[in-house]
Amino acid sequence: GKLRDITYTPDFIFRYNGYTVIVEAKGFETDVFKMKFKLFRKLMEKRKKVLIFEVFNKRMVLQMLELLKKDYGNKES
């Protein structure tokens, strides 16, 4: 059979204090998604200043935002 490139597009990508933040918002994961996301995460982990989040509900989005502010926000003295 013919081999095709694997494509994957995250739900959200934005910049925050010098970081590239990638967010995948999922309700139900298919086996195809799990494999694509695993490969994508592996590739992205090699890059500097890239944060990847996988969120499933509003609570997780709020936790992600708090983590970004707390650990990656502007650290002014």
Side-chain angles (χ1 to χ4, degrees):
K2 182 179 177 183
L3 293 178
R4 296 185 330 201
D5 289 338
I6 293 175
T7 59
Y8 170 75
T9 304
D11 291 322
F12 301 96
I13 300 174
F14 60 93
R15 301 281 296 157
Y16 182 74
N17 288 336
Y19 287 86
T20 298
V21 181
I22 298 168
V23 181
E24 182 61 42
K26 281 291 171 208
F28 177 75
E29 292 182 331
T30 64
D31 290 336
V32 172
F33 166 77
K34 288 178 186 179
M35 180 56 70
K36 285 183 178 184
F37 190 65
K38 183 178 180 178
L39 292 170
F40 178 76
R41 183 182 290 271
K42 213 51 154 155
L43 177 67
M44 290 294 109
E45 286 173 349
K46 296 176 184 177
R47 298 184 179 195
K48 291 181 167 74
K49 294 202 150 216
V50 173
L51 305 171
I52 302 174
F53 295 93
E54 190 174 5
V55 296
F56 293 88
N57 54 45
K58 180 181 174 180
R59 180 182 53 82
M60 292 177 81
V61 171
L62 295 173
Q63 288 174 335
M64 175 195 74
L65 294 174
E66 283 302 313
L67 180 98
L68 284 173
K69 287 192 292 189
K70 179 178 161 259
D71 293 346
Y72 300 97
N74 287 330
K75 306 280 190 207
E76 296 184 34
S77 308

